[in-house]
Amino acid sequence: MAVGEFLTRLFGLEGQTAVVIGGAGELGFALCSGLSQAGAHVVIADVNLQACQKRVRQIEEAGGRASPAEVDITSRASLESLLAEALKVSGRVEMLVNSAGINAGSPFLDVDPDFWDKIFAVNLKGMMEACQVFIAHMKEAGGGSILNIGSVNSHLPLSRVFAYAASKAGVVNLTKNIAQEFAASGIRCNAICPGFFPAEQNRKLLDAERVENIMRGTPMHRYGEPHELVGAALLLLSPQAGSYITGADYYVDGGFTCSWF
Ligand SMILES: NC(=O)c1ccc[n+]([C@@H]2O[C@H](COP(=O)([O-])OP(=O)(O)OC[C@H]3O[C@@H](n4cnc5c(N)ncnc54)[C@H](O)[C@@H]3O)[C@@H](O)[C@H]2O)c1
């Protein structure tokens, strides 16, 4: 078998539909691009519709297929509409990626309980509801694959991001719990836990002291590039390459979670 054919059989997503919530963001869009290049039609869903439309044009210019959809992951009705919209593509959604996320930092005694709720509403409760809505469809359709975006905070609580870190610990726990409940229904659920990839939601937190600590704690001594998440995402989402992988929390972090200095 030729190399191209072998890789296509393992990772090809031709004819499949992927919904990426938070798809207009920096990491979410890198995942949209990768899924599209592997052949999937990608529904780029985000609270920011204009950004989705811009991202769709980028995918189309690169020869891929995508459509924009406005969604607020904190609203059940909005998630139900997103599923209905995505089903218009081919009547089936094989993949869901949960990449919406927000962050804010402060010392513990200054943590605003209302903001804590807001972070949990997007990062964890919203993810849980998105999983409920799409799993109901996937179960009826005979299977599917979900990829949730955690963080190195899922494993290690980083200082000054209490709500974010706790929500991301919840993401891995939720992922594993969903994996065990729906394995028999042909639904796999995995998480990617990225290290440090400067983006809109975390750039303001990266002061000089934090950057120095991050670089010291990352054995590769550099930030990640969004496209470096794509290989792991295709492995976990692909029904061929990832067929026996569920409940995994896969760290793409330049070695951050294995270092101790
Ligand atoms: N960038 C990093 O270093 C890093 C590291 C670890 C984990 N993560 C996680 O990766 C994911 C993507 O983050 P990013 O770095 O690309 O940030 P980003 O800010 O570029 O993207 C986040 C996206 O989520 C969208 N969003 C926010 N609230 C929403 C809502 N209520 N409904 C729907 N969409 C909403 C935003 O509009 C944005 O497009 C997040 O879950 C984040 O926590 C990022």
Side-chain angles (χ1 to χ4, degrees):
M1 190 189 298
V3 178
E5 190 186 341
F6 172 69
L7 292 177
T8 302
R9 277 199 196 176
L10 263 186
F11 295 106
L13 299 173
E14 199 66 51
Q16 300 196 32
T17 300
V19 172
V20 181
I21 303 180
E26 301 196 33
L27 302 191
F29 181 65
L31 298 175
C32 291
S33 299
L35 289 166
S36 152
Q37 283 174 279
H41 181 113
V42 185
V43 178
I44 304 182
D46 203 286
V47 76
N48 182 344
L49 180 61
Q50 269 192 337
C52 293
Q53 290 162 337
K54 193 173 144 207
R55 297 303 205 181
V56 165
R57 284 195 293 277
Q58 284 175 262
I59 297 257
E60 287 174 344
E61 277 160 23
R65 284 167 301 126
S67 38
E70 187 171 11
V71 70
D72 179 355
I73 201 170
T74 66
S75 153
R76 183 69 171 222
S78 180
L79 287 164
E80 301 277 6
S81 306
L82 172 62
L83 172 62
E85 195 58 36
L87 288 176
K88 289 182 190 162
V89 176
S90 68
R92 176 92 165 79
V93 174
E94 284 85 358
M95 293 165 279
L96 169 68
V97 177
N98 277 308
S99 187
I102 56 173
N103 198 353
S106 72
F108 181 65
L109 293 180
D110 295 335
V111 171
D112 176 347
D114 291 337
F115 213 78
W116 176 284
D117 286 346
K118 272 191 194 152
I119 288 185
F120 268 71
V122 174
N123 295 7
L124 191 55
K125 183 166 176 250
M127 177 181 285
M128 183 277 292
E129 291 207 64
C131 289
Q132 282 185 325
V133 168
F134 283 82
I135 284 173
H137 160 68
M138 288 174 180
K139 229 181 136 188
E140 216 177 270
S145 181
I146 297 173
L147 182 64
N148 293 328
I149 308 303
S151 158
V152 288
N153 278 282
S154 300
H155 178 67
L156 301 165
L158 299 186
S159 62
R160 287 186 285 139
V161 287
F162 291 90
Y164 181 80
S167 72
K168 291 297 184 179
V171 165
V172 164
N173 192 284
L174 176 70
T175 299
K176 290 179 185 289
N177 223 339
I178 289 173
Q180 65 169 338
E181 180 150 342
F182 294 100
S185 307
I187 298 167
R188 298 180 303 104
C189 185
N190 292 293
I192 281 183
C193 297
F196 298 90
F197 296 71
E200 197 50 42
Q201 52 81 19
N202 63 1
R203 214 167 263 125
K204 58 192 174 299
L205 299 169
L206 296 172
D207 58 41
E209 187 195 349
R210 207 163 179 84
V211 171
E212 196 188 320
N213 288 336
I214 289 168
M215 290 304 150
R216 193 152 22 95
T218 303
M220 289 189 179
H221 299 305
R222 66 170 176 86
Y223 290 126
E225 299 280 343
H227 68 84
E228 293 180 293
L229 294 176
V230 171
L234 291 181
L235 168 65
L236 297 174
L237 281 166
S238 158
Q240 301 88 21
S243 56
Y244 199 52
I245 309 176
T246 197
D249 45 338
Y250 197 109
Y251 288 82
V252 182
D253 65 355
F256 186 83
T257 45
C258 70
S259 82
W260 188 251
F261 52 88

